[in-house]
Amino acid sequence: MLSAIRVNRMGSTGTKIVKMNVTELIEMLNKALADEWLAYYQYWVGSKIVKGPMRPDVQKELIEHANDELKHADMLAERIIQLGGQPLLSPDEIKKASACGYAAPSDPHVLKILKQNIQGERCAIAIYHQILEKVKLGNDPITFHMIRKILEDEVEHEEDLESLAEDIALIK
Ligand code: FE
Ligand code: FE
Ligand code: MG
């Protein structure tokens, strides 16, 4: 079994400086990892099928965000492993653990896709804000700074998409 052979990379001093329940922390990070994977796929597949005004600009932004979400997933997985945990191993687990869920871009219109992704960003901002409330700076500075950085990206994502949608709505 995969879980049995996974090498625990957590250093003992690295564990000691975490002043919170590490199991709960890992679970929280895995839920965020699940959201990032679904966000990645939603952006990625959306960039393939999107249609309508300013399509190239929208595609470029969607691909950029997809890559950012994948980078977030990578950061979360690395931290989970550092903490002695295991990143989620299957799409079934990802679907179950996700808090923000997945909005299939069944309508390819630029504004519909942007709207769905804006909703996703709003959910991500709320979740990361909640995590920051729990992972205080003094409890685990490494996770704190990582989540703060991800939150900063999500705030930027929301604004990018909102202004794109605003510009498209102004086209007559
Ligand atoms: Fe993200
Ligand atoms: Fe995002
Ligand atoms: Mg952007």
Side-chain angles (χ1 to χ4, degrees):
M1 269 177 50
L2 267 173
S3 55
I5 58 163
R6 199 186 66 68
V7 179
N8 189 326
R9 281 206 252 139
M10 183 66 188
S12 56
T13 309
T15 331
K16 272 180 213 147
I17 61 166
V18 177
K19 294 198 206 96
M20 51 190 302
N21 183 320
V22 175
T23 309
E24 278 173 29
L25 177 59
I26 289 167
E27 202 179 315
M28 205 156 58
L29 298 180
N30 254 325
K31 285 178 79 70
L33 173 63
D35 283 336
E36 292 294 352
W37 261 107
L38 295 180
Y40 167 73
Y41 192 78
Q42 194 179 313
Y43 271 123
W44 178 84
V45 81
S47 79
K48 301 289 176 200
I49 60 160
V50 70
K51 282 180 186 171
M54 292 174 66
R55 188 201 299 202
D57 299 279
V58 175
Q59 267 177 329
K60 187 173 164 271
E61 200 67 45
L62 297 177
I63 293 165
E64 216 175 87
H65 289 197
N67 291 334
D68 287 345
E69 311 307 6
L70 191 57
K71 198 181 71 200
H72 296 162
D74 192 80
M75 292 159 78
L76 289 160
E78 289 294 335
R79 185 62 183 146
I80 288 166
I81 291 167
Q82 252 181 14
L83 289 166
Q86 171 141 278
L88 299 178
L89 296 177
S90 75
D92 289 343
E93 286 178 296
I94 287 172
K95 203 174 163 218
K96 226 179 287 165
S98 168
C100 295
Y102 183 80
S106 42
D107 184 338
H109 191 279
V110 280
L111 286 176
K112 291 283 166 49
I113 289 193
L114 287 173
K115 197 179 168 194
Q116 284 178 319
N117 285 311
I118 289 167
Q119 285 308 116
E121 293 299 341
R122 286 177 184 162
C123 182
I125 291 167
I127 295 287
Y128 285 118
H129 189 247
Q130 270 176 31
I131 295 177
L132 274 193
E133 298 277 301
K134 287 184 191 144
V135 185
K136 300 269 196 275
L137 183 59
N139 287 345
D140 179 354
I142 295 169
T143 302
F144 184 90
H145 281 294
M146 180 188 76
I147 298 294
R148 198 208 54 81
K149 168 67 187 124
I150 296 176
L151 177 60
E152 197 179 302
D153 290 348
E154 311 304 12
V155 167
E156 191 187 308
H157 287 171
E158 182 198 31
E159 204 277 326
D160 286 347
L161 300 183
E162 281 174 347
S163 46
L164 252 182
E166 198 184 5
D167 291 346
I168 292 166
L170 287 171
I171 298 170
K172 263 208 64 135

